[in-house]
Amino acid sequence: MSQGQDLLYSDDEESHPSDYNESTILLSNLNGGYQTANVPYHETSQHQSEYGSMNSPTSSLGDSDYERRGNQYINYPPMLGDLANNVAMKGGDQRLASILLTVIVICSFSVAFLVSSAQGTGHGANVPGVNDSIQSRMHYFPFPDGTVFSPEGGLVSSVETSKYVPFKSVDRKELSVDASQIVFPDLFHSSLRLPKNSSKVDINGTSSPLPLLKVPFPTGAFWTNLVIAPTSDREFSYPVMSYPYAYKWNPSMMQVSYPPLRRLTDKISIRDIFNPDMTFGTEEDIIKRNIVRFDPLSVTLRFYSHQVNPHIEENGSDPDPKSSYWESYLVQGSPYITAKFNDVTPIFTPLSIFNDFGCAWDDVDNKNTSHAEMFGVCSKLESTDGQSVILNGVQFLVRAQENLSWMIFASEPITLALDSSRRNIRSEEKFTGVIRFVLIPPPLHDNALKQNGNQYEGISLNTSQGVKRLIYHAHTYPVGAKVSWDFQDIAATSTSQLLNSNHQDILQGSQDKVRDFTVGTVNFVFQVKSMNSDDCQSTPILDKTLLMLALPHHTAVLPSNMILNEFDLEYQCIKGLMKPIVGSQWSYVEQLTDIGFDQDQDIRNLQNLTFEQEQVILNQVDLDLGRVLPTLTENVYGFGKQIARLAQLCHIASILERPSFQSGATNGTVSRVLTSRATGMLQDFLTKYLDGFSTDNLLYDINFGGIVTHNGILNMQEDFGNGWYNDHHFHYGYILYAAAILGRFNSTFVDTYGIHIDSILYDVAHGANDSSDLNGGAFFPFTRHKSWFDGHSFASGLFPFADGKSQESSSEAVNCYYGAYLWSLVRWSNVDDFQERINFAKLLLAMEIRGAKTYWHMMTQNGIREVDPMGSVTLYNQDFEEGLMVGNLGMMDVTVATWFGTQQLYVHMINFMPVTAITKELFSKPYIEKEFDEVIKPIFDGVEMAWRGYTISDKALIYPTEAWQDAEKLRSYELDSALSQSQVYFWIASMNGFNASIISTGATANHVSTQSSDDASCDNHQGCVLQNLEGLCCPSSEGVMLECCQ
C-alpha cells in the first residue's frame, strides 16, 4: 500500500481495528484516501529569519475516556440528528440525511453507555478546591488600610489605584511615547476599551490620566506580539506560541505553523522556525480584527467582514448575531486549530500546495455506495471543470506537498473545493459553524526533513491509535480557561510523604526529620464547547472528552491516570515531547517551601563556628559596610542588587550577633553594634530610594497598570527595558528581599513604607485581574511575568520577539518570588488571612523552582531526568544538553548562551545568582557535583573577580571547607554588586560538611585594595567628580568605598 493510500477504505474485515465497534468505524474510516497527484512543487521564498529583530536588552483526568468493556472501546460519536436535519433543510442530499438518521440507532447504545459512565467517576468532576478557589479574588491583595476597589474595574479602579500607590502617577505620552503607539488599542474589542469620549478624570481635585484598556494590560502574556509593532511582511505580527502551534495574524488572515518541522540544532542552540503551514482566511474582505477576550491560558481572535452594531458590541464580547465574522481560540495545549465561522466563506491555504484532498471512499472503484457515504462522513461531488476536487461532508483529510497530513472536522455539513491550482481549499458557499484542523505530526529527527528531498517522513495513519483518538475527541473544543489555586496543611508521618523533588533539601540533609508541610494545588479548568451545541457549559461528557497536550513539567506532577497512553503520535515543542491529557480539569500539587530567611539547618551549622571564625565574618561585615554601599545614581537593576547586598550584611550581623553566637564575648557582653549600624544604613538607602531621592525614580504607569522607572519610560533601551516591562521580576525581586530584611527589624518601616513595597509586589505577584473580565482589584495585571502553562516566568515585556517570549536568568526569577514570599511573611503576619497571601507567593516560588529544574538544569541520573518521574531521558537535543545549563529559553528557541556572551561561566552563573537561603532548594547536590566538576572546576582558577564570588559559592555546595580558603582571596568591591565577601563566608559556614575545626583564622586577612591609585582616584569616577571630591575615593585611603563610586 502506498503512503498516499494508507487510509483508503477496504471491504476486508481485517483492515478494521479489532477493538472498535460499529460506531467507531464511523469515525476511524473518515480519514480519506488519496489519489496521488503529480503536481510540480511550487518553490516558496526562502524563509527570512526574524531572530534578533528588535531584541531588547535584558539583565546581565481520570481514567481513559474510552470506557472499556473487555477488549471493546465504547465510543461517543458526534450527535448526527441535527446534522441530518440540517442537510435536508439546506437542500442537501436527502438520501444522505436518511443515512445519518439511521446511524443514530446504531450509535445509541454507545452514547447511553458513555453518558451513564461519565456520571460516575472521573478526575475533574470534583477537583479538590476548584469550586472554592475559582471564586472572585478581586480583593485578594487589598491595600492594608482597607481600601476596596471598584468591582467595575476599568477607569474607576485605575484612578483609585493611582491615588493609593505612593509613587507619582504618569501618563506615558507626557514623558515619551503614547501607550497607544506601543500597544494598539484598536486591536481590542470595544468592550475592553474605554469609551472614545473618555477624558482625564478629576477626582478630589486630582486630574488622572487614562488607562489603555478597562483592564490592566498583561504585558507578560504569551500573545502580546499580536498587538505590538508587526513585521514588514504584509503587517503580519511576530509569532505567538500556543503549544504546539505558533500563530501570526494580519488585518485579513491568520497563519498557523508547527515550528518543530523546521528545527535547527547545533551545540549551543535549538531553534524552531515559523513558516505558515496553514493559513486561515475568508473570501470576504475583513474590515477589522479584535482580541475579544483573554485569560492566563488563552486568547480569542476575531475577524469581521461586516460592520458591527456598536451598541451591541460595547455591551459585551458576544458578537452581533447579524454580523459576519470568524474567530479562533488560541488555547494553550490544544492539538487542534479551532475556528468558528458566522456567515462567511472560509479559505484554507498551505505553505506550498495541496497534493491530495479526499474522503474515505476515494479508492473504491466502480461502486455506487461506500462505507464513508453510508455513514455520512463525506461525499464527492462532480466538478464543472473536471479538475477541481469538490467534497461535501463533515470530516476530511488533506495532504500538502511536504507530505503533511491534516484532518478537518466541521460541525455542519460543508462543501469544500480544491481548485485546479491546488493552492486553496475554499467553501462553495457561506458557512456558519465550527471547523477544526489537526496536524498529524510526522516523526522528527535532528534535521526534521529527510535528506532525500523536501518531504517529511510519513506514518501509517489507518493503524495509528493516535489518529483514532484525534477523531474521537474532535467534537469537544476549548474556548478559554480559568486558573485557580488552594492550599492544604499536611501532617507528615514519614519522609515518604514529601510530594516531589523540589523540596527535599538534598543539600542540607534534613530529610531525616519528619515535619509538617503545606501544599498548593494548581487548577486549570478549561471552558469547553461541543460542535453539537453552542452552549459553553460543563457536562460529564464534555468534561471527559476534551483532548489536550501537557508539557513535561505537567506530566511529572499530574496524576498518571490522566495521561493517555494509547497515543502513538508525538507532538513536540521547544520544551520537548507533549503528552496527551483527557479531561477539562487539571489539578496538580506543589509542595511549598518551609525555608524562611534561613534554613534551620543553616543556623545549626553556623553555631559550630568558633568565636574567632565568627569574628572573621563580622570583621568582614564591618569592612563591607564601608566599601560596598548602594548608590542612588544606579539604575533600578543595579540598585536592587546593591540594596539586597546591604540587606544581606544586615542579616548576617543579626545572626552572628545573637547571644547564642557570642559565647566568647568579653565579660559576657553581647554586641549588636553591627546589626544596628547595618539596619540604619539599610533604612537610609532604601527609604531614600522609595522617597524618590534617586536619579531614576519609580513611577506608577496608569496607562498599562505597573511600576516603571523614570529613565525606563523615557527610553525603551534604558534600565534593560524596564519602561517597556522587561525584567521587572529581576529588578524588583532584589528590592522585595531587602525590604523583607529591613521589615524584620524595623516595624516602623513596615508601617510607613509598606504601601511602597506592596505596590512593587503587586507589579510582579498580583493575585487578581487574571482575565479580560472586569473583576476589579488594584490596577495591576495578574502575576505579570508568570506563564502558568509554561510553569515559569518569561522576562519579555512589550518588545516584539521572534521566539514569542523568553527568559535568561531562572535564578533571579526565583529570587523575585522568594522576595515576594519573605515580604508577605513580614508584611501580613498580623492580618487575618495572612497565610493565604504568604502561601500564594510560596506557590509562585515553587512553580518557578520546578520550571528552572525542568527546563534550565539539564541533567539526567541513570537515564532519568531528576525532576521527571515519568522517565524523560532528555528534553532537548542530547549534544545540546551536554552544556548542563540553559542560558536563554524562549517559546520557540533555547540556547546555552546569554545576552552578553556565550562563555559557559556566564551561562551558569547568571542562573546561579543571587546567593540566598533559597539557592539550596533551587539546586540539587547531584546537579552541582556534575556542573562543578565538568564546567566550573576546569576554569575555576582563572575566573575574573566579578564572577569569582559565585563560583566559590557554587563550589561551597559540595566542597565548603576548601571554598572557605578560596573565599579568603576575594575582594568585596570587585565582586558582582549582589554579593559581598561577607556573604560568601556566611554561605560557606552554613553548609553541611563545613569543617570549622581545620580552618585557621590566623590565615585570614582583611584584604586591602590592589587597585592602582589611578583606578581609585576620584577623578576617574563621574559620580565623585560631580561632588567635587579629590584624592582617593574608590576606595579611599582608609579602604572605604564611597557612595559616588561607579
Side-chain angles (χ1 to χ4, degrees):
M1 179 180 291
S2 70
Q3 188 62 51
Q5 297 177 328
D6 61 2
L7 283 183
L8 302 182
Y9 177 78
S10 168
D11 282 337
D12 183 0
E13 288 280 297
E14 296 288 325
S15 68
H16 296 169
S18 61
D19 59 349
Y20 278 72
N21 62 10
E22 195 70 12
S23 65
T24 304
I25 298 173
L26 161 68
L27 297 175
S28 63
N29 284 323
L30 61 87
N31 308 24
Y34 309 106
Q35 295 176 349
T36 304
N38 296 318
V39 181
Y41 176 69
H42 289 188
E43 294 291 340
T44 57
S45 61
Q46 179 68 29
H47 171 72
Q48 183 175 359
S49 175
E50 296 163 349
Y51 284 85
S53 298
M54 293 190 71
N55 284 342
S56 72
T58 64
S59 57
S60 337
L61 295 158
D63 295 331
S64 170
D65 290 314
Y66 285 104
E67 298 296 340
R68 188 162 185 167
R69 182 181 297 168
N71 291 324
Q72 291 292 316
Y73 288 97
I74 310 301
N75 200 347
Y76 175 65
M79 296 295 187
L80 301 176
D82 291 340
L83 186 152
N85 291 331
N86 288 336
V87 171
M89 292 177 65
K90 294 179 180 179
D93 189 336
Q94 296 288 336
R95 181 171 168 274
L96 176 59
S98 177
I99 293 172
L100 293 178
L101 289 171
T102 303
V103 173
I104 298 174
V105 177
I106 300 175
C107 300
S108 59
F109 291 106
S110 298
V111 174
F113 179 84
L114 186 59
V115 170
S116 63
S117 300
Q119 292 173 342
T121 61
H123 183 89
N126 293 289
V127 179
V130 169
N131 293 332
D132 294 334
S133 57
I134 289 180
Q135 61 186 333
S136 172
R137 294 185 298 275
M138 70 173 64
H139 308 311
Y140 191 78
F141 286 120
F143 283 84
D145 64 357
T147 299
V148 177
F149 291 96
S150 169
E152 300 173 359
L155 180 60
V156 177
S157 179
S158 66
V159 172
E160 289 174 340
T161 300
S162 69
K163 289 168 54 182
Y164 286 94
V165 170
F167 306 115
K168 180 181 177 181
S169 296
V170 297
D171 190 341
R172 299 183 69 97
K173 68 181 178 183
E174 295 180 357
L175 293 177
S176 61
V177 179
D178 194 313
S180 63
Q181 297 180 34
I182 303 172
V183 172
F184 307 138
D186 288 344
L187 291 178
F188 289 87
H189 193 270
S190 61
S191 64
L192 300 177
R193 303 195 303 265
L194 294 174
K196 291 187 177 181
N197 60 354
S198 298
S199 59
K200 286 192 175 183
V201 178
D202 185 87
I203 295 182
N204 298 331
T206 301
S207 180
S208 174
L210 301 178
L212 184 77
L213 302 174
K214 291 181 180 179
V215 294
F217 186 77
T219 58
F222 71 91
W223 47 264
T224 57
N225 269 352
L226 299 174
V227 294
I228 57 180
T231 69
S232 58
D233 176 20
R234 296 171 290 166
E235 297 185 65
F236 273 108
S237 64
Y238 286 85
V240 302
M241 196 73 199
S242 182
Y243 302 108
Y245 302 107
Y247 296 79
K248 293 182 179 183
W249 73 341
N250 77 356
S252 61
M253 65 189 75
M254 180 180 76
Q255 293 180 336
V256 185
S257 174
Y258 182 59
L261 292 172
R262 288 160 290 276
R263 178 165 292 175
L264 303 177
T265 65
D266 54 44
K267 289 284 289 186
I268 67 168
S269 69
I270 303 173
R271 292 185 294 153
D272 287 353
I273 307 300
F274 185 103
N275 260 355
D277 295 307
M278 192 65 65
T279 298
F280 291 64
T282 59
E283 187 77 37
E284 295 79 14
D285 291 336
I286 299 300
I287 63 171
K288 73 170 184 175
R289 56 184 170 140
N290 285 155
I291 284 181
V292 176
R293 68 171 306 277
F294 57 82
D295 57 56
L297 306 185
S298 77
V299 63
T300 299
L301 316 181
R302 184 179 294 162
F303 296 81
Y304 299 86
S305 67
H306 183 275
Q307 192 62 45
V308 180
N309 184 325
H311 299 293
I312 294 179
E313 189 185 41
E314 288 179 5
N315 290 330
S317 61
D318 289 334
D320 181 351
K322 297 181 181 179
S323 67
S324 299
Y325 69 94
W326 72 277
E327 64 186 20
S328 185
Y329 316 104
L330 280 57
V331 183
Q332 291 288 359
S334 177
Y336 306 85
I337 303 152
T338 305
K340 177 183 178 182
F341 298 88
N342 190 73
D343 197 33
V344 288
T345 310
I347 301 176
F348 310 108
T349 307
L351 177 62
S352 55
I353 60 172
F354 289 113
N355 261 10
D356 304 297
F357 178 43
C359 294
W361 55 274
D362 287 348
D363 188 45
V364 183
D365 298 325
N366 302 317
K367 292 189 177 182
N368 295 323
T369 302
S370 71
H371 276 65
E373 190 175 16
M374 284 176 57
F375 287 111
V377 170
C378 181
S379 61
K380 189 172 183 178
L381 306 180
E382 294 294 328
S383 64
T384 57
D385 59 9
Q387 296 182 351
S388 300
V389 179
I390 304 176
L391 304 175
N392 175 270
V394 293
Q395 298 171 349
F396 314 89
L397 197 145
V398 298
R399 179 175 284 132
Q401 179 129 16
E402 304 83 42
N403 200 31
L404 292 180
S405 296
W406 300 79
M407 289 190 290
I408 307 172
F409 306 90
S411 63
E412 309 291 333
I414 186 173
T415 300
L416 296 175
L418 172 62
D419 59 31
S420 58
S421 71
R422 296 187 173 268
R423 189 74 184 102
N424 299 295
I425 290 177
R426 69 185 68 211
S427 175
E428 289 284 272
E429 58 187 3
K430 291 185 176 182
F431 177 73
T432 296
V434 175
I435 294 179
R436 306 193 80 190
F437 273 63
V438 63
L439 175 70
I440 310 301
L444 294 184
H445 309 289
D446 286 348
N447 295 316
L449 281 172
K450 280 187 171 181
Q451 297 299 314
N452 57 345
N454 290 312
Q455 288 203 337
Y456 296 97
E457 181 178 340
I459 62 174
S460 180
L461 303 185
N462 66 329
T463 60
S464 168
Q465 291 292 320
V467 168
K468 295 166 188 173
R469 279 287 186 174
L470 289 172
I471 295 166
Y472 170 79
H473 294 282
H475 70 286
T476 303
Y477 62 96
V479 297
K482 290 183 180 296
V483 170
S484 63
W485 54 87
D486 50 78
F487 306 104
Q488 183 180 5
D489 294 327
I490 305 295
T493 57
S494 69
T495 55
S496 64
Q497 285 188 265
L498 292 172
L499 298 179
N500 58 59
S501 62
N502 275 6
H503 309 284
Q504 293 181 2
D505 301 331
I506 295 174
L507 291 170
Q508 292 306 102
S510 58
Q511 292 185 65
D512 58 337
K513 294 185 177 297
V514 177
R515 63 189 186 277
D516 297 345
F517 55 92
T518 302
V519 298
T521 303
V522 178
N523 307 300
F524 296 166
V525 180
F526 294 97
Q527 298 168 303
V528 296
K529 289 188 177 184
S530 171
M531 294 176 78
N532 311 311
S533 172
D534 197 46
D535 293 334
C536 187
Q537 59 183 1
S538 177
T539 67
I541 291 177
L542 289 184
D543 288 344
K544 295 191 65 179
T545 54
L546 178 68
L547 177 64
M548 302 292 284
L549 301 172
L551 292 173
H553 76 280
H554 296 137
T555 60
V557 289
L558 284 172
S560 58
N561 62 355
M562 292 184 67
I563 301 169
L564 187 61
N565 294 318
E566 297 167 346
F567 199 85
D568 54 1
L569 304 176
E570 293 189 350
Y571 286 94
Q572 297 274 350
C573 69
I574 201 66
K575 284 181 160 71
L577 178 65
M578 301 184 74
K579 297 286 185 71
I581 303 290
V582 175
S584 65
Q585 297 182 351
W586 299 10
S587 292
Y588 68 89
V589 169
E590 290 285 7
Q591 185 178 327
L592 307 186
T593 186
D594 58 1
I595 294 176
F597 290 88
D598 292 288
Q599 292 189 10
D600 293 342
Q601 185 64 38
D602 294 349
I603 304 303
R604 289 193 288 270
N605 289 337
L606 287 164
Q607 288 173 335
N608 293 326
L609 292 173
T610 66
F611 177 74
E612 290 75 17
Q613 290 164 347
E614 293 169 8
Q615 292 307 300
V616 168
I617 302 176
L618 288 172
N619 287 341
Q620 187 62 49
V621 171
D622 188 23
L623 286 172
D624 286 338
L625 285 175
R627 293 184 178 183
V628 291
L629 298 178
T631 58
L632 294 172
T633 57
E634 184 59 88
N635 63 48
V636 63
Y637 180 56
F639 177 81
K641 294 171 77 172
Q642 292 171 349
I643 200 68
R645 175 177 59 189
L646 179 55
Q648 289 173 341
L649 295 176
C650 180
H651 176 65
I652 295 167
S654 72
I655 297 295
L656 296 184
E657 287 187 335
R658 290 178 181 176
S660 59
F661 282 87
Q662 297 290 300
S663 59
T666 304
N667 300 323
T669 301
V670 176
S671 171
R672 303 285 288 176
V673 174
L674 278 181
T675 303
S676 177
R677 177 184 167 200
T679 303
M681 296 173 74
L682 178 59
Q683 176 167 335
D684 183 55
F685 281 105
L686 186 53
T687 56
K688 281 182 179 179
Y689 184 80
L690 297 174
D691 283 335
F693 289 101
S694 73
T695 59
D696 192 13
N697 299 336
L698 296 179
L699 306 170
Y700 177 64
D701 173 10
I702 200 171
N703 304 133
F704 290 121
I707 305 298
V708 295
T709 63
H710 180 268
N711 292 346
I713 208 171
L714 288 177
N715 186 336
M716 67 191 302
Q717 301 298 336
E718 288 290 326
D719 295 348
F720 306 99
N722 178 285
W724 266 247
Y725 291 93
N726 267 19
D727 297 357
H728 278 207
H729 57 331
F730 297 164
H731 302 166
Y732 300 153
Y734 288 105
I735 297 175
L736 290 170
Y737 177 84
I741 295 287
L742 180 55
R744 292 183 74 193
F745 306 112
N746 190 331
S747 61
T748 301
F749 170 78
V750 176
D751 294 338
T752 306
Y753 290 91
I755 194 70
H756 295 70
I757 305 302
D758 290 348
S759 300
I760 293 172
L761 181 143
Y762 298 152
D763 185 84
V764 293
H766 194 30
N769 297 320
D770 55 351
S771 73
S772 54
D773 298 331
L774 302 182
N775 58 11
F779 203 74
F780 293 90
F782 178 61
T783 57
R784 183 180 303 282
H785 289 285
K786 181 76 76 176
S787 172
W788 286 71
F789 192 79
D790 286 274
H792 59 79
S793 297
F794 286 116
S796 309
L798 298 178
F799 292 87
F801 282 90
D803 59 354
K805 294 287 186 179
S806 65
Q807 176 165 277
E808 184 176 69
S809 180
S810 58
S811 55
E812 286 183 299
V814 167
N815 183 61
C816 170
Y817 303 116
Y818 181 51
Y821 152 49
L822 294 181
W823 173 250
S824 300
L825 198 63
V826 170
R827 173 62 155 152
W828 291 314
S829 59
N830 295 321
V831 179
D832 290 342
D833 61 345
F834 75 95
Q835 196 60 53
E836 178 82 4
R837 304 180 188 197
I838 296 169
N839 284 340
F840 179 69
K842 291 168 74 171
L843 177 61
L844 299 179
L845 172 61
M847 293 171 64
E848 203 70 27
I849 290 175
R850 176 175 295 283
K853 286 188 171 185
T854 306
Y855 301 117
W856 270 263
H857 301 178
M858 300 183 292
M859 192 193 77
T860 59
Q861 289 181 275
N862 301 320
I864 299 177
R865 205 174 189 88
E866 63 173 325
V867 297
D868 186 2
M870 298 304 294
S872 298
V873 176
T874 58
L875 297 185
Y876 309 116
N877 176 278
Q878 188 169 356
D879 291 339
F880 178 85
E881 292 208 350
E882 291 179 0
L884 295 181
M885 179 68 79
V886 163
N888 196 299
L889 175 62
M891 300 186 85
M892 292 173 60
D893 64 1
V894 60
T895 70
V896 287
T898 71
W899 289 99
F900 52 91
T902 60
Q903 294 185 32
Q904 283 190 314
L905 172 68
Y906 300 158
V907 172
H908 283 260
M909 294 300 99
I910 196 65
N911 285 287
F912 186 83
M913 65 169 62
V915 177
T916 67
I918 205 65
T919 305
K920 297 172 183 176
E921 196 162 280
L922 176 59
F923 292 95
S924 71
K925 186 173 182 179
Y927 177 84
I928 290 293
E929 287 174 339
K930 187 175 181 68
E931 179 210 40
F932 184 81
D933 288 345
E934 296 184 11
V935 178
I936 305 302
K937 186 176 181 179
I939 62 174
F940 186 81
D941 292 337
V943 171
E944 58 192 287
M945 188 60 67
W947 293 98
R948 193 159 178 76
Y950 292 123
T951 57
I952 292 174
S953 297
D954 184 277
K955 180 179 182 179
L957 288 167
I958 48 178
Y959 307 119
T961 307
E962 293 179 22
W964 179 281
Q965 297 168 342
D966 296 319
E968 293 174 345
K969 303 171 186 177
L970 292 174
R971 295 184 292 274
S972 271
Y973 50 83
E974 294 183 28
L975 300 178
D976 178 74
S977 57
L979 191 64
S980 68
Q981 188 173 10
S982 301
Q983 174 67 4
V984 178
Y985 277 141
F986 183 80
W987 170 257
I988 293 169
S990 71
M991 292 293 161
N992 278 353
F994 176 65
N995 191 343
S997 64
I998 66 172
I999 296 296
S1000 173
T1001 55
T1004 302
N1006 295 325
H1007 293 275
V1008 182
S1009 174
T1010 59
Q1011 285 183 300
S1012 69
S1013 60
D1014 288 340
D1015 293 333
S1017 172
C1018 303
D1019 294 338
N1020 290 323
H1021 299 272
Q1022 186 64 27
C1024 303
V1025 172
L1026 292 175
Q1027 297 182 38
N1028 298 317
L1029 298 179
E1030 297 178 351
L1032 300 179
C1033 287
C1034 307
S1036 69
S1037 56
E1038 292 79 20
V1040 176
M1041 189 71 66
L1042 301 186
E1043 182 179 334
C1044 60
C1045 300
Q1046 298 292 328

